[in-house]
Amino acid sequence: MMAANVLELKAVERRFIQGTKTLTILDGADFALQSGEMVALVAPSGTGKSTLLHIAGLLEHPDAGDVIVNGRPCNGLSDDSRTAIRRGEIGFVYQFHHLLPEFTALENVMMPQLISGLDRKEARDRAAQLLDYMKIGERVHHRPAELSGGEQQRVAIARAVANAPLVLLADEPTGNLDPVTASYVFEALEALVRQSGLAALIATHNESLAARMDRRVTLEGGKVVAMA
């Protein structure tokens, strides 16, 4: 039995106006991501990787086409409905962790859960469990400035999945780390995806990490195409 598609992009177009010119970033892009799957998005800078992730994550509207999350077309939804889907069904990890500096690791991971209305004790317990799973359980009461780069990124990953999303979108999540730390962070991320059945689309320039994922795609002529 095939896994269900939890994220689909259908004929997505995105263009930007620069002076008198129109810059086409995505031109009828199609893509599907299944539950439990890790897909590497490998493409040169400037080809639209971040734009694709922003549209897939409902942070940006396409000029044409649609994004379907867990079977639900999103293009005609209100901003409030799109925000609710982002909050509950999509997690984000960026190259830079964007942790709140005044809060501890535990509090950073609790935050999205509290915003979603979860009881404080439940949020605290789940945050501690996730940080322990990411092998940073002994650092839960440290603030971001007291953590290494790899530790900060593991906290960011735990925060991204705190609300148990269906989809994880990551934009160069190890791009700011040295090779050894990048491999360690990726191992923690991979274990989390495999254990939870999460679907993950990960933009990366790291070919060795990309090779460890289920498949690789790239952007050519504004379309998503499979890599050999």
Side-chain angles (χ1 to χ4, degrees):
M1 184 175 177
M2 290 184 63
N5 289 337
V6 292
L7 174 69
E8 295 179 76
L9 274 62
K10 292 196 171 182
V12 166
E13 298 181 11
R14 190 71 175 104
R15 295 176 174 83
F16 296 96
I17 305 298
Q18 290 189 337
T20 59
K21 295 182 179 180
T22 299
L23 183 63
T24 299
I25 302 298
L26 300 174
D27 187 15
D30 294 305
F31 176 72
L33 184 65
Q34 295 183 340
S35 179
E37 180 180 40
M38 293 186 78
V39 177
L41 174 58
V42 184
S45 297
T47 55
K49 295 193 303 297
S50 294
T51 298
L52 180 73
L53 290 171
H54 288 169
I55 289 174
L58 308 183
L59 292 169
E60 196 172 314
H61 287 270
D63 295 315
D66 206 352
V67 178
I68 301 169
V69 179
N70 200 26
R72 186 180 187 186
C74 297
N75 212 27
L77 297 179
S78 67
D79 286 343
D80 285 347
S81 294
R82 289 167 65 90
T83 298
I85 292 173
R86 278 200 308 272
R87 184 181 298 142
E89 300 185 46
I90 302 172
F92 298 89
V93 181
Y94 300 97
Q95 180 173 349
F96 299 99
H97 55 78
H98 298 300
L99 299 174
L100 298 171
E102 66 271 30
F103 294 107
T104 65
L106 186 71
E107 290 166 338
N108 267 280
V109 181
M110 287 174 64
M111 198 66 64
Q113 301 176 77
L114 296 174
I115 291 171
S116 291
L118 196 66
D119 171 82
R120 188 171 185 85
K121 183 183 183 307
E122 287 184 73
R124 185 182 183 87
D125 289 348
R126 176 163 172 77
Q129 182 182 41
L130 281 168
L131 289 167
D132 191 54
Y133 190 86
M134 296 299 291
K135 296 181 171 41
I136 196 174
E138 75 284 357
R139 308 282 279 169
V140 296
H141 299 300
H142 290 70
R143 288 183 171 82
E146 301 170 310
L147 302 173
S148 69
E151 289 170 337
Q152 291 171 346
Q153 199 64 320
R154 278 181 279 159
V155 174
I157 292 168
R159 180 183 59 183
V161 301
N163 283 334
L166 298 173
V167 178
L168 180 69
L169 302 173
D171 195 356
E172 297 287 350
T174 62
N176 201 38
L177 305 174
D178 65 82
V180 173
T181 305
S183 180
Y184 190 70
V185 168
F186 181 82
E187 284 175 11
L189 173 59
E190 183 179 24
L192 186 64
V193 170
R194 302 305 187 196
Q195 285 286 331
S196 65
L198 189 65
L201 176 61
I202 301 172
T204 182
H205 282 106
N206 189 318
E207 286 286 351
S208 65
L209 295 185
R212 292 161 61 176
M213 300 191 218
D214 298 313
R215 58 189 173 103
R216 299 188 302 163
V217 297
T218 189
L219 287 167
E220 290 182 3
K223 292 179 170 55
V224 180
V225 297
M227 295 181 71

